């Protein structure tokens, strides 16, 4: 919890997403009164494992399985009512009650946003982003164009009119891309999906819809502790990520201010989470990517398949210049390293310390630069070749793991506060 009173802590990903945010938020939740999502939407897949159960959350904050905690979906989030209803239905099987508030100012993802996502991706051909096709980009586009529909509008009398006129606009846009065959969303006939969407709206409007900026600031004033949970990762940030291969929201700490209505002076601790190696799902630069058998080995050991789409994740070694860039952008104060156990059987482990381009050394990479000719330069460290199953402190850890952590800490100049050694809630080393 923040050592500063009345400030919200932030936990966010420092790579290309899937760093293990869901698991670690679940671990930290007992220290907090409020867990709040501030951006993204159902493109996220946050996995929690406990009591031999595995749950994947898309829109709902990862504090939902704890009692006495309020979970909040902030104004910066975009919500698909169909996916939201599915999530609530599966939670209802696990929990007798849940505590969830939703910002009236969050935006809705319409069926036609998903349609447009597919149309735009198809139009990009080989340069496609590799979107999750959940309608994220088009929903945020409409928010910025001031034609989007907010969750709070569901209960307003002109909701249906607003919906119809936005849908017609989307159909015209899709037609302009030459898309005039039968409209479909994720393989389902548009009309059928639209019906499902309307059927799902009730679940959303029955939730407590609030002005979350007021709720969160009052919570802080009243001495409650708040953890803001990031989605995606810093290298997918719309401004600072590997543009255009990014998502459509600000995934960095500043995004928590905008996506929750928190003043910058109200941010306390910033926890930056990274995997002990790197993964990326979708297109775009990935300088330390491993191909062939080596990539397969990491993918299989780390079970690196997307939580939302099931796509194989691209895998590679830890990229320290990229990590340092992410730490700078977010003002990270403490690091959290996950998936250390995935490297248990590796004889040696590589770690990228800098890049070379035309014999010039580059140490801090602005991720929008052309990375095609960038040659990563590695330091090779010895693997620990041991299970971490029974390790619950860094002191007890194999010397080689200590060396790995120390190397990262010295480079980034920040402490690694937590190390995750497995997907379960209990598999964590706290310093
Ligand atoms: P998120 O999007 O950042 O919440 O991460 P995801 O849930 O998409 O992906 C992380 C995956 O790794 C999930 O399947 C987690 O259950 C799993 N996981 C999290 N931490 C660890 C860990 O320390 N070790 C292993 N082996 N798996 C982990
Ligand atoms: P969590 O929160 C990993 C990637 C997509 C694609 C790009 C744009 O689970 O870490 P979008 O659907 O946003 O238009 O896709 O961003 N992407 C993610 N990759 N984890 C995520 O979320 C992601 N959300 C989006 O694969 O490359
Ligand atoms: Mg994920």
């Amino acid at each position: 919890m923040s050592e500063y009173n009345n400030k919200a802590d932030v936990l966010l990903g420092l790579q290309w997403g899937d760093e293990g945010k869901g698991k670690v938020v679940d671990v930290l939740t007992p220290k907090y009164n409020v867990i709040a999502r501030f951006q993204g939407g159902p493109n996220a897949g946050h996995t929690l494992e406990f009591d031999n159960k595995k749950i994947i959350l898309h829109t709902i904050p990862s504090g939902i399985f704890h009692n006495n905690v309020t979970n909040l979906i902030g104004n910066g989030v975009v919500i698909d009512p169909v996916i939201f209803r599915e999530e609530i239905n599966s939670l209802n099987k696990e929990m007798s009650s849940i505590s969830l508030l939703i910002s009236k100012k969050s935006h809705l993802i319409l069926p036609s946003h998903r349609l447009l996502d597919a149309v735009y991706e198809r139009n990009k051909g080989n340069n496609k982003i590799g979107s999750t096709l959940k309608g994220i980009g088009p929903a945020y586009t409409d928010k910025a164009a001031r034609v989007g529909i907010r969750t709070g509008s569901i209960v307003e009398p002109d909701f249906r009119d607003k919906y119809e006129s936005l849908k017609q606009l989307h159909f015209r846009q899709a037609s302009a891309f030459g898309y005039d065959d039968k409209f479909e969303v994720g393989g389902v006939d548009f009309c059928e999906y639209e019906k499902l969407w309307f059927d799902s709206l009730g679940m959303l409007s029955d939730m407590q819809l609030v002005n979350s900026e007021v709720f969160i600031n009052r919570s802080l004033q009243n001495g409650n502790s708040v953890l803001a949970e990031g989605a995606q990762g810093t290298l997918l940030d719309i401004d600072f990520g590997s543009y255009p291969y990014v998502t459509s929201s600000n995934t960095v700490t500043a995004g928590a201010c905008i996506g929750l209505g928190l003043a910058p002076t109200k941010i306390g601790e910033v926890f930056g989470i990274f995997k002990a190696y790197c993964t990326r799902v979708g297109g775009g630069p990935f300088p330390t990517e491993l191909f062939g058998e080596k990539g397969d080995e990491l993918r299989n050991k780390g079970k690196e398949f997307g939580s939302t789409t099931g796509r194989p994740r691209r895998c590679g070694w830890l990229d320290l210049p990229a990590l340092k860039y992410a730490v700078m952008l977010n003002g990270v104060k403490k690091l959290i390293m996950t998936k250390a156990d995935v490297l248990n059987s590796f004889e040696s482990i590589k770690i990228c310390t800098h890049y070379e381009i035309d014999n010039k050394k580059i140490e801090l990479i602005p991720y929008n630069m052309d990375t095609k000719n960038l040659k990563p330069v590695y330091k090779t460290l010895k693997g620990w070749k041991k299970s971490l199953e029974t390790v619950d402190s860094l002191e007890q850890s194999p010397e080689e793991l200590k060396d790995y952590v120390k190397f990262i800490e010295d480079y980034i100049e920040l402490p690694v506060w937590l190390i995750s050694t497995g997907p379960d809630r209990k598999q964590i080393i706290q310093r």
Side-chain angles (χ1 to χ4, degrees):
M1 200 194 316
S2 170
E3 57 193 296
Y4 311 105
N5 282 336
N6 311 113
K7 295 192 180 190
D9 295 348
V10 182
L11 183 146
L12 42 72
L14 299 177
Q15 295 162 324
W16 285 286
D18 302 330
E19 296 90 349
K21 299 175 289 296
K23 176 209 158 147
V24 175
V25 169
D26 174 53
V27 168
L28 296 180
T29 296
K31 299 176 189 233
Y32 291 92
N33 303 116
V34 179
I35 306 291
R37 276 278 304 268
F38 57 90
Q39 44 70 234
N43 48 350
H46 294 181
T47 314
L48 282 63
E49 288 196 28
F50 52 87
D51 303 340
N52 293 320
K53 283 185 282 205
K54 175 173 172 171
I55 294 116
I56 301 175
L57 298 168
H58 300 287
T59 327
I60 293 173
S62 301
I64 201 74
F65 289 101
H66 294 262
N67 297 320
N68 306 320
V69 176
T70 303
N71 289 270
L72 175 71
I73 298 179
N75 56 281
V77 176
V78 288
I79 304 176
D80 183 329
V82 177
I83 296 172
F84 179 77
R85 183 169 73 163
E86 281 165 7
E87 279 187 83
I88 295 285
N89 283 342
S90 57
L91 282 181
N92 284 341
K93 286 186 205 140
E94 303 287 337
M95 309 279 291
S96 53
S97 69
I98 56 169
S99 172
L100 180 64
L101 306 178
I102 301 176
S103 168
K104 291 181 185 175
K105 297 185 181 71
S106 58
H107 276 244
L108 293 177
I109 301 175
L110 272 53
S112 45
H113 282 134
R114 292 194 60 179
L115 176 80
L116 281 181
D117 217 356
V119 169
Y120 294 157
E121 277 288 76
R122 196 195 289 182
N123 184 59
K124 287 195 169 82
N126 287 340
N127 297 324
K128 72 174 184 190
I129 291 163
S131 161
T132 59
L133 302 178
K134 302 293 177 196
I136 305 295
Y140 278 117
T141 302
D142 281 353
K143 175 178 174 178
R146 295 158 293 178
V147 295
I149 303 181
R150 290 168 154 190
T151 305
S153 320
I154 300 177
V155 293
E156 288 167 6
D158 62 346
F159 176 72
R160 188 80 204 209
D161 293 345
K162 275 190 192 157
Y163 172 88
E164 282 300 328
S165 84
L166 190 53
K167 181 179 86 174
Q168 290 310 326
L169 174 69
H170 293 157
F171 280 1
R172 288 197 295 279
Q173 287 166 339
S175 301
F177 279 86
Y179 193 84
D180 50 13
D181 46 342
K182 241 173 95 233
F183 287 131
E184 279 189 352
V185 175
V188 178
D189 169 69
F190 186 86
C191 295
E192 211 175 297
Y193 192 80
E194 188 179 46
K195 185 173 174 313
L196 190 62
W197 193 85
F198 274 99
D199 288 347
S200 306
L201 275 184
M203 178 73 86
L204 201 48
S205 56
D206 285 349
M207 293 282 149
Q208 256 184 287
L209 303 181
V210 296
N211 288 311
S212 61
E213 66 281 23
V214 176
F215 170 83
I216 208 154
N217 281 290
R218 282 208 185 126
S219 294
L220 290 174
Q221 260 167 19
N222 294 337
N224 288 313
S225 50
V226 173
L227 178 66
E229 172 183 359
Q232 289 78 58
T234 302
L235 304 179
L236 289 171
D237 180 275
I238 187 154
D239 283 280
F240 305 109
S242 42
Y243 193 88
Y245 298 96
V246 293
T247 192
S248 298
S249 63
N250 283 114
T251 59
V252 293
T253 304
C257 296
I258 299 296
L260 289 170
L262 283 168
T265 49
K266 294 286 176 203
I267 302 295
E269 288 284 1
V270 180
F271 305 117
I273 182 164
F274 66 100
K275 275 183 205 182
Y277 49 97
C278 278
T279 64
R280 170 162 211 173
V281 59
F286 183 173
T288 62
E289 181 167 10
L290 291 168
F291 300 93
E293 274 174 29
K294 286 201 167 145
D296 290 343
E297 189 180 1
L298 263 180
R299 185 173 311 105
N300 293 330
K301 293 198 167 131
K303 301 200 176 83
E304 295 296 356
F305 297 88
S307 313
T308 296
T309 59
R311 292 178 292 177
R313 294 175 181 146
R314 300 156 66 192
C315 297
W317 297 119
L318 185 61
D319 184 336
L320 287 181
L323 197 62
K324 199 158 195 167
Y325 180 63
V327 163
M328 173 188 86
L329 289 167
N330 290 301
V332 172
K333 296 184 190 166
K334 285 179 178 162
L335 292 167
I336 298 170
M337 183 171 91
T338 59
K339 305 197 92 159
D341 55 301
V342 173
L343 301 178
N344 282 353
S345 59
F346 281 71
E347 208 60 60
S348 60
I349 303 169
K350 286 189 178 181
I351 187 161
C352 170
T353 53
H354 61 280
Y355 314 97
E356 276 173 10
I357 193 161
D358 303 331
N359 291 325
K360 248 185 25 226
K361 185 173 176 183
I362 297 179
E363 287 185 75
L364 182 69
I365 176 175
Y367 245 83
N368 54 357
M369 77 184 277
D370 182 7
T371 51
K372 264 203 296 292
N373 300 319
L374 215 54
K375 193 167 91 49
V377 180
Y378 296 101
K379 162 100 182 161
T380 303
L381 299 182
K382 244 178 113 198
W384 42 93
K385 300 277 286 165
K386 280 190 193 81
S387 160
L388 303 177
E389 199 70 7
T390 55
V391 175
D392 49 26
S393 71
L394 192 65
E395 289 63 47
Q396 282 177 15
S397 306
E399 288 306 314
E400 294 84 353
L401 173 59
K402 287 187 204 164
D403 291 346
Y404 192 67
V405 171
K406 174 130 189 357
F407 192 83
I408 296 167
E409 291 185 328
D410 288 349
Y411 187 104
I412 306 285
E413 298 177 282
L414 278 179
V416 175
W417 175 54
L418 296 176
I419 301 171
S420 174
T421 56
D424 192 88
R425 199 186 255 177
K426 295 203 185 95
Q427 292 170 300
I428 198 101
I429 298 176
Q430 183 162 348
R431 303 287 295 277

